Amino acid sequence: MAGWLLVWEMAATRRWISPLFFPAPTTILRTLLAYSASGKLVADLAATLGRLLMGLMLGGSMGMLLGLLMGGSPRLRRLVDPLVAAMHPIPKISLLPLVLIIFGLGESSRVVLVAVASFFPTVINTMTGVQQIPPIYYEVAANYQASPLTVFRRIIIPGSLPMILAGWRIALNTALVITIAVELITAREGLGAAIWLAWQTLRTEHFYAALLVIAVLGLGSNGLLHLLSAWLIPWQRQDHST
Amino acid sequence: MSGFSCQRLSKTFFAHNAVVPALESIDFRVEARSFVCIVGPSGCGKSTLLRLIAGLLPPTSGCVCFDREASQDKPRTALVFQEHGLFPWMTVLDNVAFALVGQRQGRREGRRLAQAQLERVGLAGFAHSYPHQLSGGMRQRVGVARALLANPDILLMDEPFGSVDAQTRLVLQEELLNLWREQQKTVVYVTHDIAEAILLGDRVLVMSGRPGRILADIAVPLARPRMLTAVDSPEIKDIKWRIWNMLESEVRANLGTSSAPFS
Ligand SMILES: Nc1ncnc2c1ncn2[C@@H]1O[C@H](COP(=O)(O)OP(=O)(O)O)[C@@H](O)[C@H]1O
Ligand SMILES: [Mg+2]
């Protein structure tokens, strides 16, 4: 990694490659420091994180709730599943115009679209997670006269938890994509907006600085979720591939 | 008290437009505190029969009638599942304590009793392990420990030591017989192993191939306590042969009438 950076640095400073497209790593680092010193970085990061987390929590928890209900009730599943299956493949960013019409040009539209994108992975994974619980566990529960609440808390939730968390991970990554995409198109602050501004003013080093922050954000949030999973499902041997 | 009888008990499954008659007119009686073994070819409905007795499945016709005075509750049953049914997400301790979720103890008291139970069966050191960290034999023992903690009147066991090596099985059988002697429970024990059935049971019920019927009800003339390694009297050998002959013809009949699995 360090070697590649060194090669890039040399290539850029000696103008083997155009520094307009590929500015030197040191230039990018300097820009990043200035970006951070001006307070703009914190503001953009806060805006992006705010939308990401709000949308993810909103859409993810609604998806999880509906997924649990659909997993538990075949009738509800038959009713709602065709709808989910039909809407799931639609790239959620293409719903932006519709969302803008309904929720206006403000912040709520952005959060709603992130929520919609987070909803589908969690609803599908949660439902599948509940369905794939082997029936014998319900028999064991009946064998010991467990109440419906006990079955829910101690069998349905932990039994589907690995799938639920996998759903949240997909939701997180989809939400990040949608957040940045929405910011590119509609926002004035946020990391996506910073990228768009860098393009419009042709300051590629600003583009790379924002990109770097997004990459760190993606890696960091995935890492956190991985730790959370390991902590929530201690009975599963964690494999180190992701 | 905790005896029961199955009366003209039948079970038919309706699955994917197929009609599967699993059990047909099963009739037998189990006396309180007796140890009854059931053998039969695989797929003949042994697990289904235990589920009917445990009340986990409704019969298609007939009934499982428990002996009781008008004022008494139905005697409690606990089934040790063939697939042992331990929850992978619970520690061994919580799995065993799960036996008490339907009873009045709090969670903490349940855990305390489960810990004591694990100590009794020599698994105290594994209380905080997860099932996947245990050997097959240990998992089976946890399944049995859980059922015993529920303190049922009738203990139903479905090939509980099926996936255990022969030496371990001998130890587990000894343990089970000791427990049975101490706790005076009624036990119905399903196995596909004829020798095991004779070793453990007061009686052996032999089932036919599907749909399962009772072919024979054989008393085992062995005194208790039994030496598990010393059962080769001519009389016992004779019983073994009788059961084997019945099962062999059932198995052959099944192979012959099934729709040519190898063509
Ligand atoms: N829930 C079910 N639905 C449909 N068929 C079943 C079900 N459970 C068992 N069967 C069928 O009933 C028969 C008896 O099964 P089982 O009681 O498990 O046999 P055994 O325990 O003697 O091997 C088998 O043919 C099996 O396929
Ligand atoms: Mg079986």
Side-chain angles (χ1 to χ4, degrees):
Chain A
M1 186 69 197
W4 284 112
L5 281 176
L6 207 66
V7 171
W8 181 0
E9 179 77 31
M10 271 179 48
T13 47
R14 301 199 178 172
R15 303 197 164 253
W16 295 341
I17 53 175
S18 163
L20 186 59
F21 299 147
F22 304 105
T26 46
T27 315
I28 296 171
L29 193 66
R30 228 176 299 120
T31 313
L32 190 63
L33 288 176
Y35 184 24
S36 145
S38 69
K40 193 81 177 67
L41 171 63
V42 175
D44 281 341
L45 194 61
T48 299
L49 262 179
R51 286 167 193 141
L52 178 70
L53 291 181
M54 286 253 287
L56 182 64
M57 288 303 149
L58 207 70
S61 29
M62 277 165 57
M64 186 167 72
L65 200 68
L66 184 63
L68 285 171
L69 292 174
M70 285 170 73
S73 154
R75 195 176 317 155
L76 185 66
R77 191 158 64 232
R78 271 197 299 278
L79 200 69
V80 182
D81 200 27
L83 214 60
V84 172
M87 290 182 53
H88 176 51
I90 300 174
K92 300 304 165 308
I93 191 69
S94 61
L95 297 178
L96 183 60
L98 181 65
V99 172
L100 286 176
I101 290 170
I102 300 175
F103 293 92
L105 291 171
E107 190 60 32
S108 48
S109 279
R110 297 171 197 134
V111 172
V112 164
L113 197 69
V114 175
V116 169
S118 311
F119 172 81
F120 286 91
T122 44
V123 74
I124 290 169
N125 273 270
T126 306
M127 180 181 74
T128 314
V130 175
Q131 282 180 273
Q132 52 82 51
I133 296 174
I136 183 162
Y137 296 133
Y138 299 112
E139 289 197 297
V140 174
N143 194 27
Y144 297 112
Q145 292 90 41
S147 67
L149 184 65
T150 302
V151 172
F152 180 74
R153 278 181 43 235
R154 303 202 56 202
I155 296 176
I156 295 183
I157 291 286
S160 55
L161 198 54
M163 285 292 283
I164 291 180
L165 287 170
W168 277 96
R169 193 164 72 218
I170 302 170
L172 168 68
N173 290 308
T174 317
L176 184 59
V177 171
I178 295 294
T179 305
I180 300 299
V182 168
E183 287 176 347
L184 280 174
I185 303 171
T186 70
R188 231 169 282 131
E189 72 298 324
L191 295 167
I195 283 183
W196 196 248
L197 190 68
W199 143 250
Q200 284 185 317
T201 53
L202 277 183
R203 284 179 300 181
T204 36
E205 65 279 8
H206 277 84
F207 163 80
Y208 281 101
L211 198 62
L212 198 64
V213 177
I214 293 171
V216 169
L217 183 61
L219 281 175
S221 51
N222 272 292
L224 277 178
L225 201 59
H226 199 75
L227 287 180
L228 186 70
S229 298
W231 180 66
L232 282 176
I233 30 185
W235 62 90
Q236 277 204 338
R237 275 166 286 200
Q238 290 288 316
D239 53 351
H240 291 281
S241 61
T242 40
Chain B
M1 298 185 352
S2 53
F4 66 95
S5 48
C6 294
Q7 296 172 6
R8 306 195 62 75
L9 192 62
S10 299
K11 180 70 188 179
T12 303
F13 289 108
F14 301 92
H16 308 292
N17 306 324
V19 178
V20 181
L23 294 170
E24 199 174 271
S25 200
I26 299 281
D27 265 301
F28 66 90
R29 196 185 142 64
V30 172
E31 298 300 334
R33 291 187 292 283
S34 67
F35 198 127
V36 174
C37 288
I38 300 178
V39 290
S42 77
C44 75
K46 304 183 294 297
S47 298
T48 304
L49 178 57
L50 288 190
R51 282 182 164 83
L52 290 174
I53 298 171
L56 298 176
L57 279 177
T60 307
S61 66
C63 73
V64 180
C65 303
F66 295 95
D67 308 350
R68 57 173 153 168
E69 314 284 317
S71 60
Q72 282 177 323
D73 288 336
K74 168 180 168 300
R76 290 188 308 112
T77 56
L79 173 56
V80 179
F81 291 85
Q82 186 169 6
E83 315 82 348
H84 56 71
L86 298 183
F87 303 109
W89 52 83
M90 290 185 199
T91 60
V92 165
L93 184 67
D94 283 336
N95 261 295
V96 174
F98 193 84
L100 300 175
V101 286
Q103 298 178 26
R104 289 224 164 69
Q105 294 92 343
R107 188 111 171 227
R108 176 180 299 212
E109 176 67 2
R111 284 206 173 150
R112 199 186 60 71
L113 292 170
Q115 182 70 43
Q117 175 74 346
L118 284 174
E119 270 156 31
R120 212 166 304 133
V121 298
L123 284 168
F126 296 92
H128 300 289
S129 305
Y130 286 95
H132 75 80
Q133 296 168 311
L134 305 187
S135 69
M138 281 153 81
R139 266 178 279 197
Q140 305 272 25
R141 268 159 83 187
V142 175
V144 175
R146 177 169 69 181
L148 285 171
L149 181 61
N151 195 21
D153 306 300
I154 302 169
L155 182 62
L156 308 165
M157 306 180 83
D158 195 354
E159 307 195 20
F161 308 140
S163 62
V164 177
D165 64 86
Q167 288 78 16
T168 313
R169 183 186 301 190
L170 217 56
V171 173
L172 296 180
Q173 288 167 339
E174 292 256 22
E175 272 176 16
L176 177 62
L177 284 182
N178 288 338
L179 277 168
W180 172 69
R181 212 177 27 245
E182 286 161 17
Q183 305 199 358
Q184 303 269 302
K185 294 195 182 309
T186 307
V187 178
V188 180
Y189 187 103
V190 161
T191 173
H192 56 244
D193 181 338
I194 300 171
E196 182 179 43
I198 295 174
L199 229 49
L200 297 176
D202 297 321
R203 282 156 64 207
V204 179
L205 302 180
V206 184
M207 284 178 72
S208 71
R210 213 181 71 204
R213 279 164 288 114
I214 303 288
L215 287 180
D217 182 343
I218 298 168
V220 180
L222 274 176
R224 298 200 189 255
R226 291 178 184 170
M227 291 298 296
L228 292 188
T229 43
V231 277
D232 40 11
S233 70
E235 204 179 357
I236 293 302
K237 273 192 179 143
D238 180 55
I239 291 177
K240 252 185 214 175
W241 272 111
R242 267 173 63 204
I243 297 177
W244 168 240
N245 284 329
M246 275 185 264
L247 288 181
E248 189 191 19
S249 51
E250 283 302 321
V251 171
R252 283 195 195 287
N254 256 9
L255 287 176
T257 54
S258 67
S259 54
F262 298 118
S263 63

